[in-house]
Amino acid sequence: MKLQSLVLAAATALTMTTAFAVPAGTWSVAAGAHYVDPKSDNGTLANSDLNLVANVDVDGDVRPTISGEYFIANNVGIELLAAIPFHHDFTLNDADGKEIFTGKTQHLPPTLSLQYHFDGYNLPMNVKPFVGVGVNYTTFFKEKLNNNLGLELKLDDSVGVAGHIGLDIPFAPTESLRIDARYMDIKTDATVVNGAGVNYELGEIDISPWVYGVAFVKQF
């Protein structure tokens, strides 16, 4: 429902008319930091050959980010978000909450969005809200499963829908402070490999985080 609300807001915004204040051809760059907050219930992994049934708990992380946006029409931009790798520790717990395994992974979540900026409404402090919807591609690497069984963890890449909402608070004609939040549909299939190279499929980990951030924005 959260993602559906973001998509609906973006679709509604793109059909509205307003006084144009961000002309087509404008570029903006935003540099800041974002916190990835995975959903609380990340799913259950199971494999009968390993005699394993475990609930997944993924923690959050904050990292510097940068994004660039090009306005293809008045107030309508295409934005690409990039970041240095996020690091996540995770725990596999049994039904009683007892720890079975711990592990960690890194990921990069580049996200491409189509965005609409509500500009020219003379809002308090001249704030400029915006909404967007797009696609997220997340690639996982440096996966590690802490165990004494010689098992290695593999996580598949993920492609999913992403929603974006935020506010730009100007403090100069071409500079502003951005506060934003994103929802990313991130799901990855988990596999463990033993020392003999045999794969054991465990199932899906549903990370699907909210991503909260602040950034300095410069228009050109």
Side-chain angles (χ1 to χ4, degrees):
M1 293 300 293
K2 295 176 181 178
L3 181 58
Q4 291 175 351
S5 297
L6 285 173
V7 173
L8 179 60
T12 301
L14 290 170
T15 63
M16 295 180 64
T17 58
T18 181
F20 295 127
V22 184
T26 299
W27 282 92
S28 72
V29 175
H34 282 77
Y35 174 70
V36 174
D37 183 22
K39 60 176 293 188
S40 57
D41 181 10
N42 303 121
T44 300
L45 300 182
N47 186 279
S48 58
D49 293 328
L50 296 175
N51 193 28
L52 174 68
V53 177
N55 297 316
V56 188
D57 182 18
V58 182
D59 73 354
D61 189 33
V62 60
R63 284 290 186 269
T65 58
I66 188 168
S67 65
E69 185 171 8
Y70 178 73
F71 285 79
I72 58 174
N74 295 330
N75 287 350
V76 179
I78 295 178
E79 182 212 51
L80 177 63
L81 171 71
I84 67 173
F86 287 89
H87 296 236
H88 293 283
D89 293 326
F90 60 85
T91 306
L92 305 184
N93 303 310
D94 63 18
D96 297 323
K98 182 180 178 180
E99 179 182 297
I100 302 174
F101 294 125
T102 62
K104 58 184 178 181
T105 186
Q106 297 183 34
H107 81 270
L108 284 172
T111 303
L112 186 67
S113 300
L114 178 67
Q115 307 198 136
Y116 184 88
H117 295 254
F118 296 87
D119 211 335
Y121 284 96
N122 297 318
L123 297 175
M125 297 177 60
N126 200 29
V127 299
K128 295 173 172 56
F130 62 87
V131 293
V133 63
V135 61
N136 164 261
Y137 174 78
T138 299
T139 181
F140 296 89
F141 54 97
K142 292 188 177 180
E143 305 99 316
K144 182 178 180 181
L145 187 64
N146 299 320
N147 68 99
N148 57 6
L149 303 176
L151 301 176
E152 297 182 359
L153 177 68
K154 302 295 182 184
L155 298 175
D156 289 347
D157 293 350
S158 168
V159 178
V161 177
H164 192 197
I165 56 174
L167 286 173
D168 287 338
I169 306 171
F171 54 84
T174 60
E175 299 174 352
S176 59
L177 173 68
R178 174 168 294 176
I179 302 171
D180 67 345
R182 302 172 189 264
Y183 179 82
M184 297 182 179
D185 180 26
I186 301 176
K187 299 180 177 68
T188 176
D189 290 326
T191 304
V192 295
V193 183
N194 68 10
V198 178
N199 292 344
Y200 299 93
E201 296 182 0
L202 298 182
E204 185 180 77
I205 300 176
D206 187 359
I207 300 173
S208 297
W210 279 94
V211 182
Y212 307 102
V214 295
F216 166 77
V217 183
K218 174 72 174 179
Q219 288 187 354
F220 302 92

